[in-house]
Amino acid sequence: MVHALRPKTRHQSPLKIAAIFLIVVAVICFVGDPLHPSASYLRSEEVADVVSEDSQQESVKDDSVHEGRLFTFELGNLKGETTGSFMIRTRPSWAPLGVMQFHELVDSGFFDGCRFFRVLPNFVVQVGINGDPSVQSKWRKKIIKDDPVATTNSRGTLTFATSGPNTRTSQIFINTNKKGNAFLDKQGFSPFAEVISGIESVDLINDEYKEKPNQGMIQNKGNSYLLENFPNLSYIQHVKESSSR
C-alpha cells in the first residue's frame, strides 16, 4: 500500500512563539513607527514642506497686493455742512514702503475721526494726526524710510508729509492743484495712492482755517483742541476697504 506523503505539521513551543514575538516588536521599534518619536524627523520634514508651501501661498497673496487695495473715505462737515466720500487705490509699485505703512494705519482704524487741519486751496489738503494723543504718540515712533519718487504729484494723488528725509509717519496729503504739484517731486515727496472717484468731495473739504491749527497742540491735546478752536474742520468719519473693480 502506498501512503500519500503529507507535509509534516510543525508544532511550535510556547517559548519559541514568545521569542519570535519579541523579535518582531524589537524590529518595529528599531525601524520606527511613523507616530513614534524615532520617526519624528520624517514628520518634521513633512511639516517643513507644508510650511514652505503655505509660505509660498502667502507670498502669492502678498504679490496680489501689488495691484493695491481700494478704500473709501467717508467725510463729514464738508462745505455747506454736507457729507461726501471718495475712493482711492493704493499703488505699491509707486511706493511700497509708503503703501505698507498706510495699510497698517487704515487697518488699525487710525484715520477715523481725524480732522483736515491744513487745507490750502488749489494745493493740498492734509490729515493724519489722530484725535487721541495716546494713539498719535505711538505712531510718531513708527518712522519709515523714503521711497524713491516713481510718479509725479498730480491732482488726486496721496503722499506722505515729512519733516525731512526719512521721517514719514502718519500724516498724508492729497494734491488738489488741477495742474498738479510737480515741484514736490524734486523734494522727494513720493505718491503712494490716487483718488479714483469722488474728487469733487475732496474739493469740498473746508478751507476756512487754511493752516491755522497748531500741529503741536493737536499732537498734545487731540481733537479736543480742534473742536474748541476750529469747530468747522472737515473730518474723516470712517475709512473702509472697498471691493475690487
Side-chain angles (χ1 to χ4, degrees), residues 102-151:
F102 179 77
H103 285 173
E104 290 183 13
L105 286 161
V106 174
D107 291 341
S108 71
F110 177 89
F111 289 107
D112 294 0
C114 285
R115 267 59 184 171
F116 289 91
F117 59 85
R118 186 171 183 245
V119 184
L120 300 176
N122 203 35
F123 181 34
V124 299
V125 296
Q126 190 165 327
V127 70
I129 301 179
N130 193 272
D132 181 343
S134 64
V135 173
Q136 181 59 33
S137 65
K138 295 176 182 178
W139 281 96
R140 288 184 69 181
K141 301 172 185 176
K142 296 185 178 182
I143 302 169
I144 61 171
K145 293 182 179 180
D146 293 334
D147 285 297
V149 178
T151 190

Short mmCIF file of all heavy atoms in Angstrom, two decimals, residues 102-151:
data_model
loop_
_atom_site.label_atom_id
_atom_site.label_comp_id
_atom_site.label_asym_id
_atom_site.label_seq_id
_atom_site.Cartn_x
_atom_site.Cartn_y
_atom_site.Cartn_z
N PHE A 102 0.65 102.87 5.13
CA PHE A 102 -0.73 103.35 5.00
C PHE A 102 -1.72 102.22 5.28
O PHE A 102 -2.72 102.42 5.98
CB PHE A 102 -0.96 103.91 3.60
CG PHE A 102 -2.36 104.40 3.37
CD1 PHE A 102 -2.79 105.61 3.88
CD2 PHE A 102 -3.26 103.63 2.64
CE1 PHE A 102 -4.10 106.05 3.68
CE2 PHE A 102 -4.56 104.07 2.42
CZ PHE A 102 -4.98 105.28 2.94
N HIS A 103 -1.45 101.04 4.76
CA HIS A 103 -2.34 99.90 5.02
C HIS A 103 -2.43 99.61 6.51
O HIS A 103 -3.51 99.34 7.04
CB HIS A 103 -1.82 98.66 4.29
CG HIS A 103 -2.07 98.69 2.81
ND1 HIS A 103 -1.55 97.72 1.96
CD2 HIS A 103 -2.77 99.53 2.02
CE1 HIS A 103 -1.93 97.99 0.71
NE2 HIS A 103 -2.66 99.08 0.74
N GLU A 104 -1.31 99.69 7.21
CA GLU A 104 -1.32 99.45 8.66
C GLU A 104 -2.13 100.52 9.38
O GLU A 104 -2.88 100.22 10.32
CB GLU A 104 0.11 99.42 9.20
CG GLU A 104 0.91 98.20 8.76
CD GLU A 104 2.30 98.16 9.37
OE1 GLU A 104 2.56 98.94 10.31
OE2 GLU A 104 3.13 97.36 8.91
N LEU A 105 -1.99 101.75 8.94
CA LEU A 105 -2.76 102.84 9.54
C LEU A 105 -4.26 102.61 9.36
O LEU A 105 -5.04 102.71 10.31
CB LEU A 105 -2.36 104.18 8.92
CG LEU A 105 -1.00 104.75 9.34
CD1 LEU A 105 -0.51 105.79 8.34
CD2 LEU A 105 -1.09 105.37 10.74
N VAL A 106 -4.66 102.31 8.14
CA VAL A 106 -6.08 102.11 7.87
C VAL A 106 -6.61 100.89 8.61
O VAL A 106 -7.69 100.93 9.22
CB VAL A 106 -6.33 101.96 6.35
CG1 VAL A 106 -7.79 101.59 6.09
CG2 VAL A 106 -6.00 103.26 5.63
N ASP A 107 -5.87 99.80 8.57
CA ASP A 107 -6.32 98.57 9.21
C ASP A 107 -6.48 98.73 10.72
O ASP A 107 -7.26 98.01 11.36
CB ASP A 107 -5.35 97.42 8.92
CG ASP A 107 -5.39 96.99 7.45
OD1 ASP A 107 -6.38 97.30 6.76
OD2 ASP A 107 -4.41 96.35 6.99
N SER A 108 -5.75 99.66 11.30
CA SER A 108 -5.86 99.91 12.74
C SER A 108 -6.97 100.90 13.08
O SER A 108 -7.24 101.16 14.25
CB SER A 108 -4.53 100.45 13.28
OG SER A 108 -4.30 101.79 12.84
N GLY A 109 -7.62 101.48 12.04
CA GLY A 109 -8.67 102.47 12.28
C GLY A 109 -8.14 103.85 12.61
O GLY A 109 -8.87 104.71 13.11
N PHE A 110 -6.88 104.07 12.31
CA PHE A 110 -6.21 105.31 12.70
C PHE A 110 -6.92 106.56 12.20
O PHE A 110 -7.04 107.55 12.93
CB PHE A 110 -4.76 105.30 12.19
CG PHE A 110 -4.00 106.57 12.48
CD1 PHE A 110 -3.29 106.71 13.65
CD2 PHE A 110 -4.00 107.63 11.58
CE1 PHE A 110 -2.60 107.88 13.93
CE2 PHE A 110 -3.30 108.80 11.85
CZ PHE A 110 -2.60 108.93 13.03
N PHE A 111 -7.37 106.57 10.96
CA PHE A 111 -7.87 107.81 10.35
C PHE A 111 -9.30 108.17 10.76
O PHE A 111 -9.74 109.31 10.51
CB PHE A 111 -7.79 107.72 8.82
CG PHE A 111 -6.38 107.76 8.29
CD1 PHE A 111 -5.79 106.62 7.77
CD2 PHE A 111 -5.65 108.94 8.32
CE1 PHE A 111 -4.49 106.65 7.29
CE2 PHE A 111 -4.34 108.98 7.85
CZ PHE A 111 -3.77 107.83 7.32
N ASP A 112 -10.02 107.25 11.36
CA ASP A 112 -11.40 107.55 11.76
C ASP A 112 -11.42 108.68 12.77
O ASP A 112 -10.79 108.60 13.83
CB ASP A 112 -12.07 106.31 12.35
CG ASP A 112 -12.26 105.20 11.33
OD1 ASP A 112 -11.87 105.39 10.16
OD2 ASP A 112 -12.81 104.15 11.70
N GLY A 113 -12.12 109.75 12.44
CA GLY A 113 -12.22 110.91 13.33
C GLY A 113 -11.14 111.95 13.13
O GLY A 113 -11.19 113.02 13.78
N CYS A 114 -10.18 111.69 12.27
CA CYS A 114 -9.11 112.68 12.03
C CYS A 114 -9.63 113.90 11.27
O CYS A 114 -10.42 113.77 10.34
CB CYS A 114 -7.97 112.04 11.24
SG CYS A 114 -6.93 110.91 12.19
N ARG A 115 -9.16 115.08 11.67
CA ARG A 115 -9.55 116.34 11.03
C ARG A 115 -8.54 116.76 9.97
O ARG A 115 -7.34 116.51 10.12
CB ARG A 115 -9.64 117.46 12.07
CG ARG A 115 -11.01 117.71 12.69
CD ARG A 115 -11.60 116.54 13.40
NE ARG A 115 -12.95 116.84 13.89
CZ ARG A 115 -13.77 115.94 14.39
NH1 ARG A 115 -13.38 114.68 14.50
NH2 ARG A 115 -14.98 116.29 14.81
N PHE A 116 -9.03 117.40 8.92
CA PHE A 116 -8.16 118.01 7.91
C PHE A 116 -7.70 119.35 8.46
O PHE A 116 -8.39 120.36 8.35
CB PHE A 116 -8.91 118.17 6.59
CG PHE A 116 -9.19 116.88 5.88
CD1 PHE A 116 -10.37 116.19 6.11
CD2 PHE A 116 -8.27 116.34 4.99
CE1 PHE A 116 -10.64 114.99 5.46
CE2 PHE A 116 -8.52 115.14 4.33
CZ PHE A 116 -9.72 114.46 4.57
N PHE A 117 -6.51 119.36 9.05
CA PHE A 117 -6.05 120.54 9.78
C PHE A 117 -5.28 121.53 8.91
O PHE A 117 -4.97 122.63 9.35
CB PHE A 117 -5.15 120.10 10.95
CG PHE A 117 -3.95 119.31 10.54
CD1 PHE A 117 -2.78 119.95 10.14
CD2 PHE A 117 -3.97 117.93 10.55
CE1 PHE A 117 -1.66 119.22 9.75
CE2 PHE A 117 -2.86 117.19 10.17
CZ PHE A 117 -1.70 117.84 9.77
N ARG A 118 -4.97 121.14 7.69
CA ARG A 118 -4.24 122.04 6.77
C ARG A 118 -4.89 121.93 5.40
O ARG A 118 -4.75 120.91 4.72
CB ARG A 118 -2.77 121.66 6.72
CG ARG A 118 -1.90 122.61 5.91
CD ARG A 118 -0.42 122.28 6.10
NE ARG A 118 0.43 123.21 5.38
CZ ARG A 118 1.23 122.88 4.37
NH1 ARG A 118 1.28 121.62 3.94
NH2 ARG A 118 1.98 123.78 3.78
N VAL A 119 -5.58 122.98 4.99
CA VAL A 119 -6.30 122.97 3.71
C VAL A 119 -5.96 124.24 2.95
O VAL A 119 -6.39 125.33 3.30
CB VAL A 119 -7.83 122.87 3.94
CG1 VAL A 119 -8.55 122.76 2.60
CG2 VAL A 119 -8.18 121.68 4.83
N LEU A 120 -5.16 124.08 1.90
CA LEU A 120 -4.73 125.21 1.09
C LEU A 120 -5.31 125.04 -0.31
O LEU A 120 -4.94 124.11 -1.04
CB LEU A 120 -3.20 125.26 1.03
CG LEU A 120 -2.51 125.41 2.40
CD1 LEU A 120 -0.99 125.35 2.23
CD2 LEU A 120 -2.93 126.70 3.08
N PRO A 121 -6.25 125.91 -0.68
CA PRO A 121 -6.95 125.78 -1.96
C PRO A 121 -5.99 125.66 -3.15
O PRO A 121 -4.96 126.34 -3.20
CB PRO A 121 -7.78 127.07 -2.04
CG PRO A 121 -7.99 127.46 -0.61
CD PRO A 121 -6.72 127.09 0.08
N ASN A 122 -6.33 124.78 -4.06
CA ASN A 122 -5.55 124.53 -5.28
C ASN A 122 -4.11 124.14 -4.98
O ASN A 122 -3.20 124.41 -5.75
CB ASN A 122 -5.58 125.77 -6.20
CG ASN A 122 -5.29 125.40 -7.64
OD1 ASN A 122 -5.67 124.33 -8.11
ND2 ASN A 122 -4.59 126.27 -8.36
N PHE A 123 -3.92 123.49 -3.84
CA PHE A 123 -2.59 122.97 -3.49
C PHE A 123 -2.73 121.60 -2.83
O PHE A 123 -2.59 120.57 -3.49
CB PHE A 123 -1.85 123.95 -2.58
CG PHE A 123 -0.47 123.51 -2.18
CD1 PHE A 123 0.34 122.77 -3.05
CD2 PHE A 123 0.04 123.83 -0.92
CE1 PHE A 123 1.62 122.36 -2.68
CE2 PHE A 123 1.32 123.42 -0.54
CZ PHE A 123 2.10 122.68 -1.43
N VAL A 124 -3.05 121.57 -1.51
CA VAL A 124 -3.18 120.29 -0.81
C VAL A 124 -4.23 120.36 0.29
O VAL A 124 -4.57 121.45 0.78
CB VAL A 124 -1.84 119.85 -0.16
CG1 VAL A 124 -0.75 119.65 -1.20
CG2 VAL A 124 -1.41 120.83 0.92
N VAL A 125 -4.72 119.19 0.68
CA VAL A 125 -5.47 119.03 1.94
C VAL A 125 -4.70 117.99 2.74
O VAL A 125 -4.29 116.96 2.22
CB VAL A 125 -6.93 118.58 1.71
CG1 VAL A 125 -7.69 119.65 0.94
CG2 VAL A 125 -7.02 117.24 0.97
N GLN A 126 -4.46 118.30 4.02
CA GLN A 126 -3.59 117.45 4.84
C GLN A 126 -4.32 116.93 6.06
O GLN A 126 -5.11 117.61 6.69
CB GLN A 126 -2.36 118.26 5.26
CG GLN A 126 -1.25 117.43 5.91
CD GLN A 126 0.06 118.21 5.98
OE1 GLN A 126 0.37 119.01 5.09
NE2 GLN A 126 0.84 117.96 7.01
N VAL A 127 -4.02 115.67 6.41
CA VAL A 127 -4.68 114.99 7.52
C VAL A 127 -3.70 113.96 8.06
O VAL A 127 -2.70 113.65 7.41
CB VAL A 127 -6.00 114.32 7.04
CG1 VAL A 127 -5.70 113.13 6.12
CG2 VAL A 127 -6.89 113.91 8.20
N GLY A 128 -3.98 113.42 9.25
CA GLY A 128 -3.14 112.34 9.74
C GLY A 128 -2.57 112.51 11.13
O GLY A 128 -1.61 111.84 11.50
N ILE A 129 -3.17 113.40 11.95
CA ILE A 129 -2.83 113.46 13.37
C ILE A 129 -4.06 112.93 14.10
O ILE A 129 -5.13 113.53 14.02
CB ILE A 129 -2.50 114.89 13.84
CG1 ILE A 129 -1.32 115.45 13.04
CG2 ILE A 129 -2.18 114.90 15.33
CD1 ILE A 129 -0.93 116.87 13.43
N ASN A 130 -3.89 111.83 14.78
CA ASN A 130 -5.02 111.19 15.43
C ASN A 130 -5.61 112.06 16.54
O ASN A 130 -4.88 112.78 17.22
CB ASN A 130 -4.61 109.83 16.00
CG ASN A 130 -5.79 108.98 16.40
OD1 ASN A 130 -6.28 109.07 17.51
ND2 ASN A 130 -6.24 108.15 15.47
N GLY A 131 -6.93 111.98 16.69
CA GLY A 131 -7.62 112.78 17.70
C GLY A 131 -7.34 112.37 19.12
O GLY A 131 -7.65 113.10 20.06
N ASP A 132 -6.73 111.20 19.30
CA ASP A 132 -6.38 110.71 20.63
C ASP A 132 -4.85 110.79 20.77
O ASP A 132 -4.13 110.05 20.10
CB ASP A 132 -6.84 109.26 20.78
CG ASP A 132 -6.54 108.68 22.16
OD1 ASP A 132 -5.70 109.25 22.89
OD2 ASP A 132 -7.14 107.65 22.50
N PRO A 133 -4.35 111.68 21.62
CA PRO A 133 -2.90 111.86 21.75
C PRO A 133 -2.15 110.57 22.09
O PRO A 133 -1.00 110.39 21.67
CB PRO A 133 -2.77 112.89 22.88
CG PRO A 133 -4.04 113.67 22.81
CD PRO A 133 -5.09 112.66 22.44
N SER A 134 -2.77 109.67 22.84
CA SER A 134 -2.09 108.43 23.20
C SER A 134 -1.88 107.53 21.97
O SER A 134 -0.86 106.85 21.86
CB SER A 134 -2.89 107.66 24.26
OG SER A 134 -4.16 107.25 23.76
N VAL A 135 -2.83 107.56 21.04
CA VAL A 135 -2.69 106.81 19.80
C VAL A 135 -1.63 107.47 18.92
O VAL A 135 -0.76 106.81 18.35
CB VAL A 135 -4.04 106.73 19.04
CG1 VAL A 135 -3.84 106.10 17.65
CG2 VAL A 135 -5.04 105.93 19.84
N GLN A 136 -1.70 108.78 18.84
CA GLN A 136 -0.77 109.51 17.99
C GLN A 136 0.67 109.33 18.45
O GLN A 136 1.59 109.20 17.62
CB GLN A 136 -1.13 111.00 17.98
CG GLN A 136 -0.24 111.86 17.11
CD GLN A 136 -0.26 111.44 15.65
OE1 GLN A 136 -1.27 110.97 15.15
NE2 GLN A 136 0.86 111.61 14.97
N SER A 137 0.89 109.29 19.75
CA SER A 137 2.25 109.18 20.27
C SER A 137 2.90 107.86 19.84
O SER A 137 4.11 107.80 19.62
CB SER A 137 2.25 109.28 21.80
OG SER A 137 1.55 108.19 22.39
N LYS A 138 2.10 106.82 19.71
CA LYS A 138 2.65 105.52 19.27
C LYS A 138 3.08 105.59 17.81
O LYS A 138 4.14 105.07 17.44
CB LYS A 138 1.60 104.44 19.46
CG LYS A 138 1.22 104.18 20.91
CD LYS A 138 0.10 103.15 21.01
CE LYS A 138 -0.31 102.94 22.46
NZ LYS A 138 -1.44 101.97 22.58
N TRP A 139 2.26 106.25 16.99
CA TRP A 139 2.57 106.30 15.56
C TRP A 139 3.69 107.28 15.25
O TRP A 139 4.35 107.16 14.23
CB TRP A 139 1.32 106.62 14.76
CG TRP A 139 0.45 105.42 14.58
CD1 TRP A 139 -0.63 105.04 15.33
CD2 TRP A 139 0.61 104.39 13.60
NE1 TRP A 139 -1.15 103.85 14.88
CE2 TRP A 139 -0.40 103.43 13.82
CE3 TRP A 139 1.52 104.18 12.56
CZ2 TRP A 139 -0.55 102.29 13.03
CZ3 TRP A 139 1.39 103.05 11.78
CH2 TRP A 139 0.38 102.12 12.01
N ARG A 140 3.92 108.21 16.11
CA ARG A 140 5.04 109.15 15.89
C ARG A 140 6.37 108.42 15.93
O ARG A 140 7.37 108.89 15.37
CB ARG A 140 5.02 110.25 16.96
CG ARG A 140 3.90 111.27 16.79
CD ARG A 140 3.99 112.38 17.81
NE ARG A 140 5.14 113.25 17.59
CZ ARG A 140 5.44 114.28 18.36
NH1 ARG A 140 4.70 114.59 19.41
NH2 ARG A 140 6.49 115.03 18.08
N LYS A 141 6.39 107.27 16.59
CA LYS A 141 7.62 106.49 16.71
C LYS A 141 7.79 105.52 15.53
O LYS A 141 8.86 104.94 15.37
CB LYS A 141 7.61 105.72 18.02
CG LYS A 141 7.50 106.61 19.25
CD LYS A 141 7.30 105.77 20.51
CE LYS A 141 7.08 106.67 21.73
NZ LYS A 141 6.80 105.86 22.95
N LYS A 142 6.74 105.32 14.76
CA LYS A 142 6.80 104.37 13.64
C LYS A 142 7.23 105.08 12.36
O LYS A 142 6.43 105.32 11.46
CB LYS A 142 5.44 103.68 13.47
CG LYS A 142 5.05 102.82 14.67
CD LYS A 142 3.76 102.06 14.43
CE LYS A 142 3.42 101.17 15.62
NZ LYS A 142 2.18 100.38 15.39
N ILE A 143 8.49 105.41 12.31
CA ILE A 143 9.05 106.18 11.20
C ILE A 143 9.53 105.23 10.11
O ILE A 143 10.15 104.21 10.39
CB ILE A 143 10.22 107.06 11.70
CG1 ILE A 143 9.75 107.99 12.82
CG2 ILE A 143 10.82 107.85 10.55
CD1 ILE A 143 10.89 108.71 13.54
N ILE A 144 9.23 105.57 8.87
CA ILE A 144 9.68 104.74 7.75
C ILE A 144 10.60 105.54 6.83
O ILE A 144 10.55 106.77 6.79
CB ILE A 144 8.49 104.18 6.94
CG1 ILE A 144 7.65 105.32 6.34
CG2 ILE A 144 7.62 103.30 7.81
CD1 ILE A 144 6.60 104.86 5.35
N LYS A 145 11.41 104.81 6.11
CA LYS A 145 12.33 105.44 5.16
C LYS A 145 11.56 105.94 3.93
O LYS A 145 10.44 105.52 3.67
CB LYS A 145 13.40 104.45 4.73
CG LYS A 145 14.35 104.05 5.85
CD LYS A 145 15.42 103.10 5.34
CE LYS A 145 16.39 102.72 6.46
NZ LYS A 145 17.45 101.80 5.98
N ASP A 146 12.19 106.80 3.19
CA ASP A 146 11.58 107.34 1.98
C ASP A 146 11.58 106.31 0.86
O ASP A 146 12.48 105.47 0.77
CB ASP A 146 12.34 108.59 1.50
CG ASP A 146 12.21 109.76 2.45
OD1 ASP A 146 11.20 109.82 3.17
OD2 ASP A 146 13.13 110.60 2.48
N ASP A 147 10.56 106.38 0.02
CA ASP A 147 10.53 105.65 -1.24
C ASP A 147 11.05 106.57 -2.34
O ASP A 147 10.78 107.78 -2.31
CB ASP A 147 9.10 105.24 -1.60
CG ASP A 147 8.59 104.08 -0.77
OD1 ASP A 147 9.17 102.99 -0.88
OD2 ASP A 147 7.60 104.26 -0.03
N PRO A 148 11.76 106.04 -3.31
CA PRO A 148 12.12 106.88 -4.47
C PRO A 148 10.85 107.39 -5.15
O PRO A 148 9.82 106.70 -5.17
CB PRO A 148 12.87 105.90 -5.37
CG PRO A 148 13.33 104.81 -4.48
CD PRO A 148 12.29 104.67 -3.42
N VAL A 149 10.91 108.58 -5.69
CA VAL A 149 9.75 109.15 -6.37
C VAL A 149 9.59 108.46 -7.72
O VAL A 149 10.43 108.60 -8.61
CB VAL A 149 9.90 110.68 -6.55
CG1 VAL A 149 8.69 111.25 -7.29
CG2 VAL A 149 10.06 111.35 -5.19
N ALA A 150 8.47 107.72 -7.86
CA ALA A 150 8.25 106.94 -9.07
C ALA A 150 7.20 107.57 -9.99
O ALA A 150 7.10 107.20 -11.16
CB ALA A 150 7.82 105.52 -8.72
N THR A 151 6.41 108.50 -9.44
CA THR A 151 5.39 109.16 -10.25
C THR A 151 5.19 110.58 -9.72
O THR A 151 5.55 110.88 -8.58
CB THR A 151 4.06 108.38 -10.22
OG1 THR A 151 3.15 108.90 -11.19
CG2 THR A 151 3.40 108.47 -8.85
#
